[in-house]
Amino acid sequence: MSQNKPYFFQSFTIVMLSIIALLVFKKFLPEKIFTETVAAGKNVVVDSTMLEAVEAAKGAPAEKDTLVNTRISFEATNGIKFPTEDYEDYKGFQHLVVFYEKLLQLETKQQGKVRIAYFGDSMTDGDMIVKDLRASLQARFGGEGVGFVNITSESAPSRSTLTHQFSDNWKTQSYLKIKNPIKPFGINGHVFFVKRDTVNPVWVKYKASRLSHLSELNNPTLFYGRSGNTKAKMQVVIGGDTLIKKLPASNILNTVNVADGGIKSFKANFIAADSIPFYGFNFDDGKGVHVDNFSNRGNSGLPIGSFNTNLMRAFNDKLGYDLIVLHYGTNVLNYGSLNYSWYEKRMAKVVDHLRECFPGVAILIISTADKSTKYGTEMKTDSAVVPLTLAQKRYAVQTQSAYVNLYTLMGGDGSMVKWVDEAPAQANKDYTHFNFRGSKKISDLIYKQLNDGYVKYKKLRGVTTPEPVEPVEVTPVRPVRDSFKIATPPVQQPAKPITNPAAKPVVIPGKPAVVPAKPTPIPAKPAEQAKPAPKKVAKPDSIIKKDTVNAQ
Amino acid sequence: MQLSDFLPQITIDDVQGWFIYDPKAPILFNTPLFLGLFLVFYGIYILTRNTFRLRLVYVIMFSLFFYYKSSGIYFLLLLLSSVVDYTLSYFLYREERSLQKKVYLWFSVIVNLTFLGYFKYTTFILDGANALLGADYTFNRVLLPVGISFYTFQSISYIIEVYRKEITPAKNYIDYLFFVSFFPQLVAGPIVRAKDFIPQIYAKLQLTKEDVNYALFLIIGGLIKKTVISDYISINFVDRVFDSPNSYTAFENLMAAYGYTIQIYCDFSGYSDMAIGVALLLGFKLPTNFRTPYKSASITEFWRRWHISLSTWLKDFLYISVGGNRHGSFAGFLFPGLFFCGLIIWGINFSHVSNIPLFLSIGGLVVFALSFLLSKDKERTMFTNVNLFTTMLLGGLWHGASMLFIIWGALHGLALAVHKLFNEIFPTKKDAQPTFLGGVWKVISILITFHFVAFCWILFRSRDFPTAIDLITNISHVTFDPNQWQTIILGYKNVFILMAIGYIWHLMPEGFSKGLKEAFFLTPLVLKAIVLGFIFWLVYAAASAGPQPFIYFQF
């Protein structure tokens, strides 16, 4: 056979036959390879309460949505009544009246303080979204400090609003995996114990960031529960000073103040602290707005139902929550069925339980964001997203909670694909999570809706205040952390002058406990000097941003 | 069962979509659309094989259409730059006076670099200016025409080769346009040299059985590397970790670095292989672009095996132009000078935060200086190293407008200089007997080279400096924990299987690849078609695989 004979027609034949072969293969072979397996195992975080609920709900008949096309009217709270809403476009501002009134007191009279518990899943991991919301609120209403922080956290390295390190001899129990903890879970859904370790000390370390309103650890206070242990001590190292603090543990919830006023960083060593349930540290300056981020990767929201009512009331006495945000959904999307009535019912119970734990608190439900799945070879909005947002809206209506439809706010059908493909990208390639840019945008969307309600509230109440331009651009750069020092120039934000610790109001326990009674503001402090609005810093890292579009 | 069961349903909209540019779905060799278009194109091409001008015009039309499908209206830019370059080279070739020749040459090079600079670097330069001057000039984001980096370099190679009288220029504009627009290598290389390609235009078109076999073999390998391995591991693992390194464990960070190392090879070399294969089916031979680069035992060897068409281009037209290993030039010293100045200013700027940047910048300069001060022939080695460094800096910048690419280039330049010195101090004997110790040393050298390259890829891939530093910091925290590793590997089973296949395939001895090739050559025609069809299905099924759900580990 001659090797030099022209081979054109044979070549063409091969290409043509191969296409025919492809069409045949497509017909008989599976449509996709690499099935999307869900990993399991003891080290993989999954919400066991949810898995059980999914199992129990299997085979349940689909129920008709009885709320479609209804109009939702409200009863007056403190004489304020919002107009009737369409179910389709339900927001439920009425249910935020108590919260809005506290904001108003803060804004007009600089009186009182407002605290928000923001419960979430991996979306808010590393303080994403929440840090932006906190920044916007604190820039407008005042308040310093990151709020409540866990003892240990798997997402500590990705948290940019403070540096958080801990020894590896902590034993952690999380409401995600454990039904019956040794001691009840704290408000963060976790309880931490020291492991018996005679060699290595058990410690935690916190360091404030350089972000405005968060540049200090304000009044750091340890929260822990009851134990028979009377010998426990905490050794606190602040700079060159070492203090020893006893840890009496006779109450259901105990607090020990680490320092008065603001400090930059500290390390706490725990000595002979066996059997004491630790919860975390709180950092706030006692005025303005504080937002606690209680995020848990993999959480569906259902585990909140396991909160111990007495302990939560004790937390509420100390911290005084005005608003609870429930931002869940991502982890409920992947379980096959499009019938979410089981989730709706279970979450309605969770909300009822929260109202029992935190009497009088306002509740805001934030729906799942858009998420994409591959259909054929194209990424599209997952078919479970819309049914889930509907279920979330239904339980919001039923439990008299406010509601943010994040899916429609971010653009509805196909929006996640856009957020991922946009330049610069707003979301990650898993078509689920937002990056720091997208998180800021999400926070702005939530802030805007909250503020719309606030503006309406003020109108209904007949108050006029100048409207600030919002939302505030507070973190234009990736926050600088220790390890970034090499690369990022320091963020030039005005350092907060150190205030005299004695002049700060002490955290006053005892918050009005009954439902819509008008909040009694804490005796006035002289109004704080208006803070300079955080300056928009020129992007110092823009020179090193890069365009990978053509990076071949 | 009917024939229509097998055929896809087609609507008018689909047909329109075939011919109209869609920025969201640029045409690539691994798309079904290309397969369909190519079949039709190829049939007609074969019918025109015995014509000359008709065949060239036909291929040009298809190439321009192909470019339109991948870059929209920018195909006009390709036409414009080809007219300018052809005209200039025409006059250059006929010009005897040396000054005038130089003017033509420089004019052409500057025009080409201006196009490239405008489209690729405007935003980068403005950002830099804004950061330096504290100003805020904004500019509409300039869209980058696909492949402009490649065809610009190809055009420059043509004019320089005409200037150096290494080739006789194309006989007319059509022939030249055929060379510049030839669709297989238009978008992502290899960068074809005029002296390799122009003669093929005028030779009689030939296609042997051997050629076809080899072409199909390359296309099959390329498809697997690009679509199955690279695309899957990038979307399901590597991209995620590089998006937010701190959300992942240290081990996942390390695996993402290894993952990206094999991903970029598979992506780039896979696409090159497809380009070479497609060109070969048309009867044109393009140069090999990758020769299993991660088997290199030194960084110098790496650059002889990685993106060969670019590194030889840079060597012939940049390195030699700034003086090569003989003499220094202003441009040769300018870029390293600017680079080290900038580096030290940066270090001083940061000294109030941390001394590390200053140490790193001074350290870099000292190492670079030592690389020729310790050499016997100091002056000559200095010229060599400075010119080499310039080449690598600009080579880095060619990959994209970012400081990170420049630093990536600088690290490679530094490594090349250090390796040169090492070679001078410990010369390798040419025909030494293979010994056991020599074998061990070779393995160690390969591992060191590989890890250096992988480390540099982190900078290459990261979105910005903080991300790169996060990733590197996280990797430094890896501890030996087989249980944790096992859990993670099982969690991302598919990704790790593909990564392993990628690396094993890469590290197989050459004999294995040869054997595979021979086996493929011996299969009958129909079986070849079935294998090819199966690979097409594999590409389709891999592209249909949804992203793997997120996994959260807690240890």
Side-chain angles (χ1 to χ4, degrees), chain A residues 3 7-8 11-12 18 22 30 33 36 43 45 122 154 297 374 430 433 478 483-485 488 544 546 550, chain B residues 39 42 144 149 207-208 247 350 353 402 460 462-463 465 469-470 529 533 536 543 545-546 550 552-554:
Chain A
Q3 281 289 324
Y7 207 65
F8 285 104
S11 174
F12 181 73
S18 72
L22 165 68
I33 48 173
E36 296 113 55
N43 294 109
V45 180
S122 50
E154 73 264 14
R297 296 173 175 182
K374 209 171 233 181
D430 58 2
H433 295 88
R478 267 183 72 141
S483 54
F484 299 159
K485 266 184 193 164
T488 333
I544 51 178
K546 80 195 229 192
N550 206 40
Chain B
L39 183 73
Y42 197 40
L144 191 63
S149 319
L207 188 69
T208 63
S247 301
F350 269 88
V353 185
S402 154
F460 192 90
S462 293
R463 179 180 59 229
F465 264 111
I469 288 167
D470 278 354
F536 290 157
F550 228 73
Y552 291 118
F553 296 110
Q554 188 171 44

Side-chain angles (χ1 to χ4, degrees), chain B residues 105-304:
Chain B
L105 174 72
W106 277 107
F107 188 61
S108 164
V109 169
I110 286 168
V111 165
N112 277 298
L113 291 181
T114 307
F115 278 139
L116 184 63
Y118 172 73
F119 286 105
K120 207 163 177 173
Y121 302 108
T122 306
T123 320
F124 175 64
I125 292 168
L126 275 181
D127 278 352
N130 288 344
L132 276 179
L133 308 172
D136 192 16
Y137 299 109
T138 41
F139 208 75
N140 284 341
R141 214 184 130 73
V142 179
L143 276 177
L144 191 63
V146 174
I148 188 169
S149 319
F150 292 93
Y151 67 70
T152 306
F153 269 32
Q154 224 162 275
S155 312
I156 294 177
S157 92
Y158 176 79
I159 194 113
I160 298 182
E161 278 170 0
V162 170
Y163 174 82
R164 289 183 185 166
K165 294 204 185 310
E166 285 172 6
I167 52 165
T168 25
K171 286 181 192 143
N172 65 33
Y173 175 64
I174 297 292
D175 305 354
Y176 176 73
L177 185 58
F178 179 84
F179 158 65
V180 176
S181 70
F182 192 55
F183 74 91
Q185 98 291 359
L186 179 60
V187 173
I191 300 166
V192 182
R193 295 284 280 279
K195 69 174 171 206
D196 297 330
F197 196 83
I198 302 275
Q200 292 191 54
I201 300 179
Y202 301 112
K204 186 178 159 26
L205 190 65
Q206 282 193 337
L207 188 69
T208 63
K209 185 178 181 187
E210 191 93 320
D211 291 339
V212 173
N213 283 338
Y214 186 51
L216 296 177
F217 186 74
L218 282 174
I219 290 171
I220 288 173
L223 281 171
I224 295 175
K225 280 195 278 191
K226 161 95 182 113
T227 357
V228 184
I229 299 180
S230 169
D231 287 358
Y232 189 84
I233 63 177
S234 84
I235 195 133
N236 289 298
F237 186 67
V238 176
D239 285 356
R240 295 178 186 185
V241 180
F242 275 90
D243 269 339
S244 83
N246 287 334
S247 301
Y248 293 85
T249 59
F251 182 70
E252 283 165 296
N253 274 267
L254 177 67
M255 287 301 119
Y258 285 140
Y260 184 65
T261 306
I262 194 71
Q263 177 204 322
I264 188 174
Y265 165 74
C266 284
D267 188 54
F268 207 174
S269 81
Y271 207 79
S272 274
D273 285 355
M274 283 188 256
I276 298 168
V278 170
L280 195 51
L281 284 183
L282 302 183
F284 287 85
K285 294 190 172 68
L286 305 187
T288 308
N289 214 12
F290 291 86
R291 286 190 302 116
T292 53
Y294 299 144
K295 282 184 187 170
S296 311
S298 75
I299 195 71
T300 312
E301 188 185 347
F302 174 79
W303 278 103
R304 288 191 192 124

Side-chain angles (χ1 to χ4, degrees), chain A residues 166-182:
Chain A
F166 41 84
S167 56
D168 56 6
N169 42 14
W170 284 98
K171 176 188 171 68
T172 302
Q173 291 196 314
S174 155
Y175 63 171
L176 233 58
K177 298 205 110 180
I178 287 169
K179 270 262 157 63
N180 301 305
I182 306 168

Side-chain angles (χ1 to χ4, degrees), chain A residues 190-508:
Chain A
H190 285 76
V191 54
F192 308 91
F193 300 94
V194 300
K195 277 188 190 163
R196 206 173 271 281
D197 195 330
T198 47
V199 185
N200 302 305
V202 186
W203 55 267
V204 283
K205 221 156 117 180
Y206 299 93
K207 186 169 173 240
S209 70
R210 294 151 183 253
L211 301 165
S212 59
H213 295 273
L214 305 178
S215 59
E216 284 184 346
L217 304 172
N218 311 82
N219 300 315
T221 308
L222 171 69
F223 281 64
Y224 59 101
R226 179 179 284 153
S227 156
N229 182 342
T230 53
K231 294 198 180 107
K233 273 180 287 194
M234 171 170 67
Q235 182 194 45
V236 184
V237 186
I238 306 171
D241 301 332
T242 304
L243 310 163
I244 300 281
K245 302 253 177 185
K246 280 194 179 152
L247 300 178
S250 56
N251 298 326
I252 185 164
L253 183 65
N254 311 281
T255 55
V256 163
N257 199 336
V258 169
D260 287 327
I263 53 176
K264 200 71 209 165
S265 68
F266 74 92
K267 180 181 182 183
N269 294 306
F270 292 84
I271 301 156
D274 315 35
S275 88
I276 294 184
F278 290 102
Y279 298 124
F281 282 86
N282 178 42
F283 308 103
D284 79 49
D285 67 343
K287 46 192 171 192
V289 180
H290 297 101
V291 187
D292 298 339
N293 181 359
F294 301 126
S295 67
N296 253 137
R297 296 173 175 182
N299 200 345
S300 65
L302 298 184
I304 292 177
S306 68
F307 274 164
N308 175 309
T309 313
N310 290 332
L311 181 60
M312 287 310 124
R313 289 193 170 184
F315 267 105
N316 199 29
D317 286 344
K318 301 238 186 235
L319 297 169
Y321 287 100
D322 302 292
L323 175 69
I324 290 179
V325 181
L326 299 177
H327 183 164
Y328 291 111
T330 317
N331 299 292
V332 198
L333 284 171
N334 291 325
Y335 291 88
S337 156
L338 300 184
N339 174 8
Y340 281 108
S341 53
W342 61 273
Y343 185 67
E344 178 191 330
K345 281 182 196 146
R346 296 286 301 253
M347 280 309 286
K349 278 189 198 153
V350 165
V351 175
D352 289 343
H353 185 58
L354 279 173
R355 291 199 190 280
E356 201 187 330
C357 294
F358 303 89
V361 76
I363 291 181
L364 169 68
I365 313 291
I366 297 181
S367 83
T368 180
D370 188 27
K371 173 196 187 290
S372 324
T373 303
K374 209 171 233 181
Y375 294 100
T377 52
E378 216 182 318
M379 295 300 292
K380 288 179 182 157
T381 290
D382 193 300
S383 56
V385 169
V386 173
L388 180 58
T389 60
L390 288 175
Q392 290 175 314
K393 179 154 69 180
R394 278 199 296 274
Y395 81 75
V397 172
Q398 282 156 12
T399 58
Q400 309 203 328
S401 310
Y403 175 71
V404 169
N405 191 335
L406 207 50
Y407 165 71
T408 47
L409 278 190
M410 67 179 278
D413 192 42
S415 48
M416 179 53 86
V417 177
K418 284 192 202 116
W419 285 49
V420 173
D421 292 343
E422 235 163 20
Q426 314 267 356
N428 294 346
K429 282 286 171 61
D430 58 2
Y431 293 85
T432 307
H433 295 88
F434 301 102
N435 59 23
F436 68 101
R437 241 177 270 114
S439 297
K440 166 81 175 109
K441 206 163 144 189
I442 290 290
S443 155
D444 289 351
L445 292 170
I446 297 170
Y447 178 87
K448 187 175 175 300
Q449 182 169 332
L450 277 176
N451 190 52
D452 285 350
Y454 183 52
V455 170
K456 282 184 187 150
Y457 173 73
K458 286 199 278 194
K459 225 177 240 163
L460 288 170
R461 207 172 165 287
V463 186
T464 41
T465 51
E467 271 304 303
V469 188
E470 35 65 51
V472 193
E473 184 78 23
V474 177
T475 46
V477 284
R478 267 183 72 141
V480 181
R481 281 209 344 229
D482 243 11
S483 54
F484 299 159
K485 266 184 193 164
I486 302 171
T488 333
V491 181
Q492 297 138 19
Q493 269 156 357
K496 196 191 78 108
I498 299 197
T499 43
N500 177 9
K504 294 211 167 185
V506 190
V507 180
I508 298 174

Side-chain angles (χ1 to χ4, degrees), chain B residues 489-517:
Chain B
I489 290 170
L490 289 178
Y492 289 102
K493 209 169 46 204
N494 294 331
V495 171
F496 280 91
I497 290 174
L498 285 177
M499 260 168 72
I501 292 176
Y503 275 113
I504 292 169
W505 182 4
H506 191 102
L507 295 175
M508 277 291 173
E510 248 157 73
F512 174 78
S513 168
K514 229 179 230 164
L516 218 57
K517 198 153 75 182

